[in-house]
Amino acid sequence: MGLLTRDVEHAPCTVEVSHCFDSLHAHVRFDNGAVIHPGDEVKVHGAEIMAPYGEVVREARQATIIRASALERLWTRWTGDFEVMELCEFSFSEEVTL
């Protein structure tokens, strides 16, 4: 991995989509143990997976991982802290505004 270059990897993965009362999620597990780092991009190939209500669907897929360059990774880590703080800038009030 260079300062400005991006590497591309291909990895087998398992996609799990849950559409249940107590859990609504979609997860991707890389079957080869690949780990995603800040700034990396992942594209899972194949058609959209739709789980009927009350079911969990698991499918084997192929994924492309585009690794962030060292500079992109550093930038993502640095600016990510500010983006998280934006999420914290809220308040709840009983006051009604007109």
Side-chain angles (χ1 to χ4, degrees), residues 8-14 28-36 42 61-65 67:
V8 176
E9 296 178 27
H10 300 283
C13 64
T14 301
V28 175
R29 185 188 76 239
F30 296 103
D31 299 335
N32 66 351
V35 177
I36 302 303
V42 176
R61 296 286 178 97
Q62 192 70 15
T64 300
I65 304 168
R67 298 288 182 187

Side-chain angles (χ1 to χ4, degrees), residues 14-62:
T14 301
V15 178
E16 177 182 285
V17 178
S18 173
H19 188 190
C20 299
F21 175 78
D22 58 342
S23 180
L24 178 64
H25 69 261
H27 294 287
V28 175
R29 185 188 76 239
F30 296 103
D31 299 335
N32 66 351
V35 177
I36 302 303
H37 301 284
D40 291 348
E41 297 175 29
V42 176
K43 179 175 182 172
V44 177
H45 303 281
E48 182 177 301
I49 300 173
M50 297 295 291
Y53 183 76
E55 293 186 25
V56 177
V57 176
R58 288 179 190 85
E59 288 191 14
R61 296 286 178 97
Q62 192 70 15

